[in-house]
Amino acid sequence: VRVLMYHDLHEQKADFLTTKIADFEAQMKWLIAQGYQSISLDQFVAHIEGKINRADLPEHPVLITFDDGYRSNLSLAFPILKACGLRATLFACTSFVQEAEQKAQSRYLTPNQLKQWSDGGMDVGLHSHSHLNYRDSTLLEVTQDLVQSETLLRTWGVPHCSVLAYPYGARPRDPQALAELKRALRENGIRAAFRIGNRVEPFVDPAAGSRT
């Protein structure tokens, strides 16, 4: 299952975290032309958990994801996704969403806008509350951060899947520290977690899936 990652979108400019909307539209149309069909985050997790077989997914499945929760995800990407019949997942950083409630000029979605995304048939996952670097955080900090994120999503009435996109794509390099983090994630109901990779990799560990 291919997993694609985006962040912000813009009408004209592009940089490390920003994709031109014309390029995004062309990429979505390319996926369709190549026979790809988007799947939901729930479908993906059910598959890796062995609850549905690979044969139950489309022949060429793709998971389309966005990190952080930029307003452009709703204003620019959402109409294209709907027009193309595609589904996507937004991994929301809830402190950024809180910020948008207080700053009219914020680049991020408000709680109501995040709910519009969800009500429109798209998925929401976790990207921490305060965008901590989990590579350098204690297990207590990680746990408290995730609890706060999920609590806010429930308070805002935003349905979500307990799947994490690691902030910065980072996790501990030390094998023991990584094993402890994975255990803490499982104990807190996290069903899978994505890091960042620039190549196609097999999904061999629910806490170490890769996105490009």
Side-chain angles (χ1 to χ4, degrees):
V1 178
R2 270 44 174 185
V3 185
L4 305 180
M5 176 185 64
Y6 295 92
H7 285 78
D8 201 1
L9 295 102
H10 194 272
E11 291 89 345
Q12 297 178 342
K13 74 174 184 178
D15 56 35
F16 180 67
L17 294 178
T18 308
T19 303
K20 287 184 180 179
I21 193 62
D23 292 339
F24 177 78
E25 183 173 17
Q27 290 163 18
M28 296 303 101
K29 291 180 177 179
W30 183 90
L31 289 174
I32 295 171
Q34 297 300 313
Y36 283 94
Q37 292 178 262
S38 60
I39 61 174
S40 70
L41 196 55
D42 280 328
Q43 283 178 294
F44 179 83
V45 175
H47 170 53
I48 65 172
E49 290 177 343
K51 295 176 182 176
I52 62 174
N53 297 322
R54 175 63 181 83
D56 296 320
L57 296 177
E59 183 177 358
H60 300 294
V62 62
L63 193 61
I64 302 167
T65 72
F66 297 85
D67 277 6
D68 298 333
Y70 293 93
R71 290 191 181 182
S72 64
N73 300 160
L74 181 65
S75 63
L76 298 179
F78 181 84
I80 292 172
L81 292 165
K82 295 297 284 187
C84 292
L86 295 170
R87 185 167 185 157
T89 295
L90 193 161
F91 288 106
C93 181
T94 47
S95 67
F96 296 170
V97 179
Q98 275 188 319
E99 171 195 301
E101 282 189 296
Q102 303 165 358
K103 297 181 180 179
Q105 301 305 315
S106 173
R107 298 170 63 192
Y108 301 102
L109 296 166
T110 66
N112 284 339
Q113 289 169 331
L114 183 59
K115 195 168 187 306
Q116 288 177 39
W117 169 272
S118 176
D119 290 346
M122 304 296 167
D123 298 320
V124 175
L126 306 174
H127 195 44
S128 80
H129 171 66
S130 52
H131 214 272
L132 287 175
N133 188 328
Y134 285 7
R135 177 177 293 165
D136 305 318
S137 304
T138 67
L139 295 181
L140 179 59
E141 289 172 334
V142 170
T143 298
Q144 291 176 336
D145 185 75
L146 288 172
V147 168
Q148 188 171 8
S149 181
E150 295 207 77
T151 298
L152 282 169
L153 289 172
R154 286 192 291 268
T155 299
W156 295 330
V158 178
H160 68 281
C161 187
S162 295
V163 173
L164 171 70
Y166 289 110
Y168 307 102
R171 58 202 187 119
R173 292 191 177 95
D174 177 73
Q176 182 176 347
L178 179 57
E180 291 174 352
L181 175 60
K182 291 179 182 179
R183 183 172 62 252
L185 294 179
R186 287 192 297 269
E187 289 174 351
N188 283 276
I190 301 301
R191 300 168 67 189
F194 290 102
R195 59 190 180 88
I196 297 173
N198 290 320
R199 60 186 182 276
V200 177
E201 297 181 355
F203 196 92
V204 295
D205 184 342
S210 178
R211 298 178 298 159
T212 56

